[in-house]
């Protein structure tokens, strides 16, 4: 019975999801071309709110818990574990005050209504994982952007999704490049729980009545630490939070 419900509620949500992407693709283009980047950002924020709160259509729940007070007078590098494509929307919505800008694979820059347009216009670092030199240049550009504008970058140091909930080893390179170009940044780990359970095998079927949460952990000051040390501390903090009972 549960599997039948998963299929039915997945159909309901995915129809809604597709409509949200198409509607907000047009809204983004209109806002960006007529009113500029600030208006475009607001449409992106609301698109991601609609995506995230739409999960209630599957009986699932979301929760954001900040365990720290985030500064607004310096850039932030959010470092998170990666379970699913659905990791992203709540970060954009709940942390919208900090203008989260993502390190993303370049393949996502085309072909996905709403999402691809935002990646191209937001300043995201669109990296070619087959071209390390291009990836470094893109991440460095993002680091310079967040330093100049006191906004935030989001990076998944695992490099790819781990739907099982068991984290892969964190890779230091991307965080190190961001810190080099944004030396005043605070590194804030985010623990993501439950999104891998929600969509373990692609978009269909989703698992209804999933519990998903995002926890912003206390920041890590990079001053006096090597990038390896910073990334290790972030991974340990995320792992410790994941080990707790949801």
């Amino acid at each position: 019975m549960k599997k039948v419900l998963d299929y039915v509620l997945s159909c309901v949500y995915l129809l809604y999801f597709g409509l949200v992407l198409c509607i907000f693709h047009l809204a983004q283009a209109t806002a960006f071309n007529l009113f500029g980047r600030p208006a475009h950002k607001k449409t992106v924020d609301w698109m991601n709110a609609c995506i995230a709160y739409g999960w209630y259509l599957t009986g699932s729940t979301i929760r954001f818990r900040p365990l720290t007070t985030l500064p607004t007078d310096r850039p932030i590098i959010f470092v998170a574990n990666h379970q699913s494509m659905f990791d992203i929307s709540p970060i954009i919505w709940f942390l919208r005050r900090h203008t989260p800008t993502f390190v993303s694979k370049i393949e996502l820059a085309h072909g996905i209504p709403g999402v691809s347009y935002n990646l191209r216009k937001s300043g995201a670092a669109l990296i070619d994982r087959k071209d390390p030199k291009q990836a470094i240049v893109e991440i460095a550009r993002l680091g310079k952007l967040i330093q100049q504008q006191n906004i935030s970058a989001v990076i998944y140091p695992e490099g790819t999704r781990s739907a099982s909930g068991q984290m892969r080893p964190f890779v230091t390179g991307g965080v190190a490049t961001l810190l080099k170009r944004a030396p005043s940044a605070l590194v804030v780990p985010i623990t993501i729980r439950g999104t891998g359970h929600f969509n373990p095998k692609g978009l269909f079927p989703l698992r209804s009545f999933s519990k998903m949460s995002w926890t912003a952990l206390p920041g890590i000051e990079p001053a006096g630490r090597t990038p390896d040390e910073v990334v290790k501390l972030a991974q340990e903090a995320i792992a410790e939070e994941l080990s707790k009972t949801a």
Side-chain angles (χ1 to χ4, degrees), residues 5 18 31-32 48 53 64 68 71 89 94 110 122-123 159 166 185 206 208 211-213 223 245:
L5 196 57
F32 187 87
N48 284 282
Y53 285 116
F64 176 75
T68 185
S89 289
F94 289 114
H110 299 279
S122 67
Q166 297 297 315
L206 302 171
S208 58
K211 294 182 179 180
M212 294 172 277
S213 66
T245 302

Side-chain angles (χ1 to χ4, degrees), residues 77-180:
I77 300 171
F78 291 111
V79 174
N81 60 306
H82 196 17
Q83 295 187 357
S84 161
M85 63 174 285
F86 290 130
D87 294 345
I88 296 168
S89 289
I91 292 176
I92 293 176
W93 174 246
F94 289 114
L95 297 172
R96 60 192 180 278
R97 185 180 185 187
H98 304 281
T99 314
T101 309
F102 286 76
V103 176
S104 174
K105 58 185 181 181
I106 199 168
E107 294 89 339
L108 298 179
H110 299 279
I112 308 173
V115 173
S116 297
Y117 188 90
N118 177 49
L119 286 173
R120 295 197 304 272
K121 298 298 185 182
S122 67
L126 300 172
I127 64 171
D128 183 348
R129 290 184 291 189
K130 298 178 182 178
D131 186 346
K133 184 177 293 186
Q134 182 270 352
I136 291 171
V137 170
E138 272 293 287
I139 295 172
R141 179 190 57 75
L142 177 57
K144 183 178 180 181
L145 178 69
I146 68 169
Q147 178 70 26
Q148 291 175 337
Q149 299 186 10
N150 278 339
I151 58 175
S152 67
V154 182
I155 188 167
Y156 300 107
E158 289 171 279
T160 189
R161 304 169 193 167
S162 179
S164 68
Q166 297 297 315
M167 286 196 302
R168 303 172 189 270
F170 279 18
V171 177
T172 302
V175 176
T177 301
L178 288 171
L179 284 171
K180 184 175 182 180

